[in-house]
Amino acid sequence: MTFASDAFAGPLGTELNAYSASWVKQSGYTENGIIGGDGQWATTGATVAYACYRHTATPGGADYDVEADIVKRSVGSASPILGVTGRAAAGNQTFYWLIYTHGAGNLRLFRMVGGTQTQIGSSHSFTLTNDVPARIRLRMNGSAISGWLNGAVVIGPITDTNITAAGHAGLIMLSARDIGVQDSGYIDNWSAALLASPSELSGNATLSPITASGGFLSLASSLTGNATLAAIIASGSLGVAPGVVLVPELRNWGGSLQAGVTIPVVTVCRLDTGAQVLTLT
């Protein structure tokens, strides 16, 4: 379930807190984040320091995703650093963060505890193509912390127990705006969504007709038990974007999805549209 989102459709040049009271600077950070470009994304006011904000929405638990589109623009020569944060404490510099650094050409996963940062995940080599968005996601599921790129896990999950409180979701940026060159990099379509709780999924069920191509595109409900797939039209296999199968046994399963087929292994299908989860036993 999505508990916070923002497309940053505000007046050009407006500082994020002035644009929306839902954004507040993370403790220990003073640099401004601003509405950039055509008033449709978030960028930084300068290149001298990190701009780090948390969203005031309170998650219903500590297990959630924070994701956003990140873009390097074709203008300017800056090396934008763009990322998302989670479990951010209101009163100090404590949070997890997934960050893209253009100069290094990689994604990295960090924890920040009381102002001390530690890289907890190996780097994933990746370089943005000018003006082509990439979707990054920080997932916090208990002590399993992972980084995602365009719907696939690329870092982790890493076991880390240093930050357990739900805190807040947020964003972090540096060098996304050069002096004299506006919007050399930006964050857009930011959102945060709770992961489904297994305790909330129960019973037996039959799915109503679903039409899919390359994986599940829609979802009737969230369920567990003995589920029979009825009148499903599909091409491709489970695990092909936009759906991601989290259980290894069926990560690349290519079985038939015809009416009356029962899948005999627990499967969790994660949809890019939010924290909607389909569980079949």
Side-chain angles (χ1 to χ4, degrees):
M1 180 182 68
T2 300
F3 62 85
S5 63
D6 204 323
F8 306 106
L12 179 65
T14 307
E15 188 266 331
L16 291 185
N17 180 251
Y19 149 72
S20 170
S22 294
W23 290 108
V24 295
K25 289 180 179 178
Q26 184 66 31
S27 177
Y29 294 86
T30 60
E31 183 59 60
N32 286 340
I34 62 174
I35 301 297
D38 58 359
Q40 293 292 324
W41 53 67
T43 185
T44 52
T47 62
V48 296
Y50 278 102
C52 186
Y53 285 72
R54 69 179 183 277
H55 197 280
T56 57
T58 302
D63 298 339
Y64 56 91
D65 288 343
V66 189
E67 56 186 276
D69 293 335
I70 59 171
V71 181
K72 181 188 183 299
R73 302 216 61 198
S74 57
V75 298
S77 59
S79 173
I81 299 175
L82 306 162
V84 292
T85 66
R87 295 185 183 173
N92 59 55
Q93 289 178 272
T94 295
F95 49 84
Y96 288 113
W97 47 314
L98 177 67
I99 197 83
Y100 167 76
T101 304
H102 187 73
N106 60 37
L107 279 170
R108 287 178 289 171
L109 186 61
F110 288 87
R111 69 166 179 259
M112 179 81 77
V113 176
T116 299
Q117 71 176 40
T118 303
Q119 182 171 337
I120 62 173
S122 60
S123 299
H124 173 73
S125 296
F126 171 70
T127 302
L128 284 172
T129 300
N130 289 341
D131 294 319
V132 177
R135 190 76 177 170
I136 61 171
R137 176 189 301 157
L138 168 64
R139 171 165 291 177
M140 298 154 292
N141 188 7
S143 61
I145 315 299
S146 57
W148 296 53
L149 175 65
N150 293 327
V153 182
V154 294
I155 302 175
I158 304 298
T159 300
D160 191 275
T161 59
N162 283 270
I163 309 172
T164 58
H168 297 269
L171 54 80
I172 186 167
M173 303 176 286
L174 175 69
S175 296
R177 182 183 176 94
D178 275 342
I179 296 174
V181 180
Q182 296 185 357
D183 304 330
S184 54
Y186 63 84
I187 290 175
D188 200 4
N189 300 315
W190 177 94
S191 66
L194 288 172
L195 301 181
S197 170
S199 63
E200 297 174 355
L201 311 177
S202 63
N204 302 328
T206 297
L207 300 185
S208 298
I210 295 175
T211 300
S213 176
F216 284 108
L217 299 181
S218 58
L219 176 64
S221 60
S222 296
L223 25 107
T224 191
N226 294 318
T228 298
L229 306 180
I232 291 181
I233 304 170
S235 63
S237 62
L238 294 176
V240 178
V244 176
V245 177
L246 301 182
V247 175
E249 291 85 344
L250 291 180
R251 188 177 301 278
N252 295 305
W253 184 71
S256 176
L257 294 179
Q258 304 302 318
V261 173
T262 298
I263 297 179
V265 181
V266 174
T267 307
V268 180
C269 298
R270 171 74 188 181
L271 304 185
D272 287 348
T273 54
Q276 301 177 17
V277 174
L278 169 64
T279 303
L280 305 176
T281 301

